[in-house]
Amino acid sequence: MNTLAPHRRKTINPTLARLPPLTSLRAFVATARHLNFIRAAEELHVTSAAVGQQIRLLENYLGQPLFNRVRGQLQLTSAGHALVPGLTDAFDAVLSAMTQFATSDHEPPIRVSVAPSFASKWLIPRLDALRRAAPGLQILVEASTDLTDLEAGDADCVIRFGSGAYPGLAVDHLFSEAVVPVCSPQFADHHGLWERPEAIEDVPLLHEEGAEHDNSCPDWHAWLRAEGLSYRPSRGGFRLNQSSLVLDAAVAGQGLGLGKIRLAEAEIRGGRLVSPFGSPQAVGSSYFFVTSAHKAHLMRVDLFRNWLLAEARAAQTIEVASSRTGRSEFGMIAAE
């Protein structure tokens, strides 16, 4: 089935003033790449109905169909095949020019507000990947837990740990979070923690408090209830006001902490932290990228957002090192 009723081919004399709408050309290129209206719509951040409408506009302009449906599968017609190479090259050139502009001195740095722990444990270690993905893009990382007024220009965008309910703003879910008991391997050996959750009653514990703490995040009492354990947490230990400080103290052998595994990923993979017992418990809050509707259209914001979402997709699972009885095992935590 054609996406266009049979038409007599038109004689076309394109000029800049008479080109078909850019939106229609963009919809065609995306649909030709995916051969699927839904996936094309996801790429363009519109509905599949809107993509279909733009394709019909372009077909009406050209006077001939660009796609057929064969056994439910979208296929390019000969006219569609003829149009793909030139338009694809043209859009690649446009994207290259815009990326070069966005990463040049003409474009100011992007200002990103992010909680200190997420900045130090997750974002900063990935900045080299951002540099490779968008060479020349300047970024100003503002590590703060203060409220940010995006409409007033306090920042271009923020990465926040919360519910995702930010009315009137453009919001993208990055990934969920969970907490798991963590300590250094030496601390686990010294206190005999391997597969011994009862040891929680005697060892120094690390507690997170302060502005970065989220009420949806289990404390030691909530974690024990979720595990079905009735042990009483030790009163000894330290209280720290940042998630990163809990992880740093655990790495330094100062106690057993409930670590956010997204933030602890580097230490877990590197063997500086292990989980001697128990299982991860989900946190109610997640990480979100947030910007204003106006700032969402800025090139520097769009470049950073696309890179951030790609990094989030690449981190769909985390391996939580939990050496059991002298050998390494791994528990998988899936991002939503």
Side-chain angles (χ1 to χ4, degrees):
M1 175 178 121
N2 292 337
T3 55
L4 175 76
H7 277 63
R8 188 165 59 88
R9 182 171 179 172
K10 294 181 180 178
T11 300
I12 301 172
N13 297 304
T15 65
L16 281 177
R18 299 179 60 189
L19 280 175
L22 180 64
T23 304
S24 294
L25 297 175
R26 191 172 59 170
F28 168 74
V29 169
T31 305
R33 177 162 51 247
H34 297 288
L35 291 178
N36 184 287
F37 284 137
I38 294 176
R39 287 199 291 272
E42 290 173 349
E43 178 182 344
L44 299 175
H45 306 295
V46 297
T47 65
S48 57
V51 170
Q53 181 182 27
Q54 292 301 322
I55 296 297
R56 285 191 292 274
L57 286 175
L58 182 58
E59 289 176 326
N60 286 331
Y61 174 87
L62 298 173
Q64 55 189 310
L66 299 172
F67 297 96
N68 286 324
R69 282 199 178 275
V70 179
R71 299 186 183 92
Q73 175 64 46
L74 204 61
Q75 295 183 354
L76 285 161
T77 64
S78 58
H81 276 293
L83 200 57
V84 166
L87 287 183
T88 299
D89 290 346
F91 275 107
D92 285 346
V94 170
L95 288 172
S96 176
M98 299 305 288
T99 299
Q100 288 179 20
F101 180 88
T103 58
S104 70
D105 292 337
H106 300 290
E107 184 80 351
I110 179 172
R111 295 174 58 199
V112 183
S113 174
V114 58
S117 291
F118 191 87
S120 65
K121 295 296 184 181
W122 197 92
L123 181 59
I124 298 301
R126 288 171 168 79
L127 288 184
D128 191 54
L130 174 60
R131 179 187 59 79
R132 293 193 301 271
L137 178 66
Q138 300 297 309
I139 179 170
L140 173 60
V141 178
E142 299 177 345
S144 173
T145 56
D146 294 340
L147 291 175
T148 302
D149 189 340
L150 290 168
E151 297 294 348
D154 289 352
D156 290 319
C157 55
V158 302
I159 300 172
R160 287 294 182 258
F161 185 61
S163 66
Y166 307 110
L169 298 174
V171 181
D172 289 286
H173 179 268
L174 297 178
F175 36 67
S176 55
E177 183 61 281
V179 294
V180 68
V182 292
C183 63
S184 70
Q186 297 80 9
F187 186 90
D189 288 338
H190 179 72
H191 292 277
L193 298 184
W194 304 112
E195 296 292 4
R196 291 186 61 246
E198 62 270 21
I200 201 172
E201 296 188 335
D202 302 314
V203 300
L205 298 179
L206 306 173
H207 307 269
E208 182 186 336
E209 297 182 353
E212 287 191 356
H213 182 65
D214 184 271
N215 288 333
S216 73
C217 184
D219 60 11
W220 278 111
H221 292 284
W223 184 86
L224 285 166
R225 286 195 301 272
E227 289 285 291
L229 301 174
S230 58
Y231 305 121
R232 293 186 177 182
S234 163
R235 291 177 177 265
F238 304 97
R239 299 185 179 277
L240 305 145
N241 75 340
Q242 290 183 9
S243 303
S244 60
L245 296 181
V246 171
L247 300 178
D248 291 342
V251 169
Q254 299 302 311
L256 179 69
L258 275 178
K260 293 187 174 81
I261 61 175
R262 292 288 174 185
L263 304 185
E265 181 180 0
E267 282 81 4
I268 290 171
R269 291 191 188 278
R272 295 181 295 278
L273 286 177
V274 294
S275 182
F277 55 76
S279 57
Q281 297 298 331
V283 175
S285 294
S286 294
Y287 298 98
F288 294 90
F289 172 81
V290 187
T291 189
S292 65
H294 167 67
K295 292 289 182 70
H297 298 292
L298 294 177
M299 284 186 293
R300 61 182 181 273
V301 174
D302 193 50
L303 279 172
F304 181 70
R305 172 186 174 275
N306 289 336
W307 169 80
L308 192 64
L309 291 175
E311 286 292 310
R313 286 193 296 270
Q316 285 298 296
T317 58
I318 289 180
E319 294 176 346
V320 182
S322 54
S323 296
R324 312 292 201 204
T325 62
R327 69 181 187 276
S328 293
E329 297 177 357
F330 298 93
M332 305 302 291
I333 302 301
E336 296 175 358

